[in-house]
Amino acid sequence: MAILWDQKNKVFSLNTKNTTYQMKIDKFGFLLHTYYGEKINNDASYLIVNQDRGFSGNPYDAENDRTYSLDVLPQEYPFYGSGDYRTTAFDVIDSNNTSGCDLRFESYEIIQGKYALSGLPASYSENNKAMTLVVNLIDNRLNLKVQLYYGVFEDEDVITRAAKIINNSDKTITLSKALTANLDFLTGDFDLIHFHGRHAGERTMERTHIEHGSFSIGSRRGTSSHQHNPFVILAERDTTEHFGNCFGMSFVYSGNFECTAEKDQYGQTRIAMGVLSERFNYALEPNESFLAPEVIMIHSNSGFESLSHKYHNIIRHNICRGEYKLKRRPILINNWEATYFDFDGEKLFNIAKQASELGVEMMVLDDGWFGSRDDDNQALGDWWVNEKKLQGTLKEVSERICSLGMKFGLWIEPEMVNENSDLYRNHPDWAFVIPNKKPIRSRNQLVLDFSRKEVVDYICESIFKVIDDAKISYIKMDMNRSISDVYSAVKGNPSEGKILYHYMLGVYDFMERLLTRYPNLLLEGCSGGGGRFDAGMMYYSPQIWCSDNTDAISRLHIQYGTSFGYPISTVGSHVSTVPNHQTGRVVDFNTRGIVAMAGSFGYELDLNLISDDEKEEVKKQIEDYKKYWHLLHNGKYYRLTNCEEDNQKTAWQFVSEDKSEALVQVVKCDTHCNAPAEYIKLRGLDADVAYELDGNLYYGSTLMNAGLPVDAMNGEYKAYKIHLVAKR
Ligand code: DGJ
């Protein structure tokens, strides 16, 4: 059984194939967290050592027992008011403006199947095999209920958490903090692995030791952000790629978030994740509830590699949805870097024609096709086709491109508005603008108030009309600024946190309506590249434009960091021109192809402008992508080098599920005269099976333990691939 309830000891054990997650209702009804890690069989609460700790208060129930303090005990959902002075997960302000609550166990329910979260993305279990535990906590004074949800995916080694807060009183209660998940560790010395970045430089891995005090990452930008990804790993200090204990937390949410890791006065570690509590102040009216979005937790006792495999698996199979969830996506060409705003119907057709002759399967028309959008200062919100610029209707343009045997895709940015647009002129109150304050502009655009249904309705209506009138198989949904000036011109003037949470619900609603109306549509997420690259978006878009930086060498770092928490199939990755538009770097066509292939593959340049030799390379790359797609997207992904430490080479590998085939890709990042030899050790092969390489046979054991020499290639940024096939 995945969920065990030990009535005698009042212990819940959530068991997956390899892990146990345990909590206990103690003698006073507090919910303690007793264990998370490799599978165990005992009630782990014997590990808790109670001592009289100075300045750590005792709940009244403990009477004269000074050894009982929630300031020290490991807890499941720590709340302010319990005498716990560490980072808490939950904090409320009652109608008398007083903070402090008292949550005690009330009841529980075990349900076959996985809970869903209305209006929010969450993992799902198609075969209903996953199980749900609901633990109800109650504060009797406030008449407030906290439902903790746990999803248990036994075979996948995944535990998910979410929470619902319900105000059963007749007064308004303000949630000043309502995080989703908290983990407490009695022992261990930990690092936090987090993925920071910036526009065009997302998800750079960084490892920070958790010292006494707390360390936080998060986003205040309204999106999950380029700056900090909502995926982290708490790892014991000796944990490496292939060794050691680590715990992942992935937030299935695309808006503001926080994640805090703290080492307390006794060296115990706490980590908590959820919606950002700064300016949150979510007013819960009587009978109103708040859903804290899901966190997906995975433990690995054998390092980051196996943790990543488990995240890849759950996101690919239990988060992503739709026709293209597991199917090969069309190889696309996008006109953005080829033309920017400078195009017309004929130019687009010529790009598509050349691309189709070389084997590209879909043409994506990026920004600039609507309203008066000839630059990025105007027209967002005016979702009508600029037929003059396109030299025809979108139906004509799309049909002409489809007549080449291609599919056709379109770019949109539904959440935005320019002041120079008909939409803004007609509905200035639909944008986030604070009365009597000039708003912060970014890319000269403002943000539409997607927390309001009428705004989402209008945008749906105008964009659906465009899609209905043309032949569209794919939508790239962009979002190009951080949110500011959060003010909703609706009655009641909610807090910034409440507006932004409902804003995200509006964005999710938009995508859900889009996918319901066009069930075969491929939706690619984007926020100036990877500014909203999170598991929440992946529920709607199985691929996300990974970064606006298309430089293959920059992409090595970005894609390396991304690979820790997200499957390769989600990584939108294109071959672009050189010198690269973002970095000015010149990299081989072959290298650009190899790096882009470790993702959802496409092109982002005018293929009319490349040499005949390069055109032949395009044909070969497309052939290769089709040939190796089953490995690239369905195989297991192994990082063979640490991209942040090894500045000589970056190598990675894909291995088929049955280990009969593998693809190794290597990029040389530096070049030297008379250089020392370099080696890579392969992973994931069958040790006892021989694999054929260049006519020679090498056992898996040899390739994994002795390795292979890296080709000594002369010249900068060269790359190559090795395809290994088992000879059984
Ligand atoms: C930012 C995106 O990331 C680019 O790929 C492109 O679509 C531009 N926006 C268009 O404005």
Side-chain angles (χ1 to χ4, degrees), residues 199 202 226 334 336-337 340-341 366-368 373 376 380 411-413 443 445 476-480 525-530 545-550 574 604:
H199 175 238
E202 299 88 337
H226 302 84
N334 178 305
W336 179 243
E337 285 197 19
Y340 297 101
F341 292 102
D366 211 280
D367 197 354
R373 183 88 170 160
D376 59 10
L380 285 170
W411 177 96
I412 57 171
E413 192 176 359
R443 211 191 188 200
Q445 60 198 54
K476 174 177 172 186
M477 179 168 146
D478 208 344
M479 196 288 188
N480 281 304
C526 175
S527 174
W545 184 224
C546 182
S547 176
D548 270 352
N549 189 340
T550 58
H574 300 166
E604 183 133 351

Side-chain angles (χ1 to χ4, degrees), residues 536-582:
M537 286 303 287
M538 287 167 197
Y539 187 66
Y540 308 91
S541 58
Q543 70 191 50
I544 299 180
W545 184 224
C546 182
S547 176
D548 270 352
N549 189 340
T550 58
D551 174 296
I553 303 307
S554 303
R555 276 294 187 117
L556 290 176
H557 295 267
I558 296 167
Q559 294 180 190
Y560 172 78
T562 305
S563 76
F564 282 84
Y566 304 100
I568 304 312
S569 58
T570 60
V571 174
S573 194
H574 300 166
V575 173
S576 62
T577 194
V578 288
N580 178 269
H581 287 188
Q582 293 80 41

Side-chain angles (χ1 to χ4, degrees), residues 157-319:
D157 271 333
V158 167
I159 309 273
T160 67
R161 288 188 65 171
K164 186 177 188 176
I165 326 296
I166 309 160
N167 180 1
N168 287 323
S169 77
D170 54 5
K171 303 205 172 64
T172 303
I173 296 175
T174 302
L175 305 177
S176 43
K177 194 174 193 182
L179 303 186
T180 298
N182 180 84
L183 288 173
D184 272 358
F185 296 89
L186 291 172
T187 57
D189 190 13
F190 292 100
D191 290 333
L192 189 74
I193 320 289
H194 51 108
F195 301 88
H196 71 99
R198 56 190 182 276
H199 175 238
E202 299 88 337
R203 291 174 297 287
T204 309
M205 183 202 204
E206 190 165 74
R207 191 168 180 150
T208 305
H209 183 219
I210 303 305
E211 310 274 2
H212 287 97
S214 58
F215 174 75
S216 292
I217 59 138
S219 167
R220 305 179 182 95
R221 293 169 179 273
T223 56
S224 49
S225 89
H226 302 84
Q227 286 71 13
H228 291 287
N229 193 265
F231 167 71
V232 298
I233 305 170
L234 189 73
E236 283 182 359
R237 291 218 81 188
D238 56 357
T239 303
T240 64
E241 186 70 11
H242 311 134
F243 171 86
N245 279 311
C246 53
F247 303 83
M249 292 177 102
S250 181
F251 201 24
V252 190
Y253 186 65
S254 316
N256 282 351
F257 77 99
E258 67 184 58
C259 176
T260 301
E262 177 173 0
K263 187 191 265 191
D264 76 6
Q265 54 184 332
Y266 301 107
Q268 304 181 126
T269 302
R270 167 171 287 181
I271 181 165
M273 186 183 243
V275 171
L276 180 74
S277 48
E278 268 179 48
R279 287 174 292 281
F280 182 55
N281 292 333
Y282 193 109
L284 262 193
E285 303 304 333
N287 297 320
E288 207 184 340
S289 60
F290 169 76
L291 267 181
E294 181 163 281
V295 169
I296 299 178
M297 304 185 302
I298 297 181
H299 162 69
S300 157
N301 67 354
S302 50
F304 307 132
E305 179 184 271
S306 95
L307 190 88
S308 295
H309 287 163
K310 288 173 185 175
Y311 272 109
H312 292 185
N313 182 50
I314 194 84
I315 289 182
R316 191 123 195 272
H317 294 97
N318 303 86
I319 288 280

Side-chain angles (χ1 to χ4, degrees), residues 36 73 179-180 326 385 429 566:
Y36 187 29
L73 286 165
L179 303 186
T180 298
L326 299 176
V385 179
D429 64 317
Y566 304 100

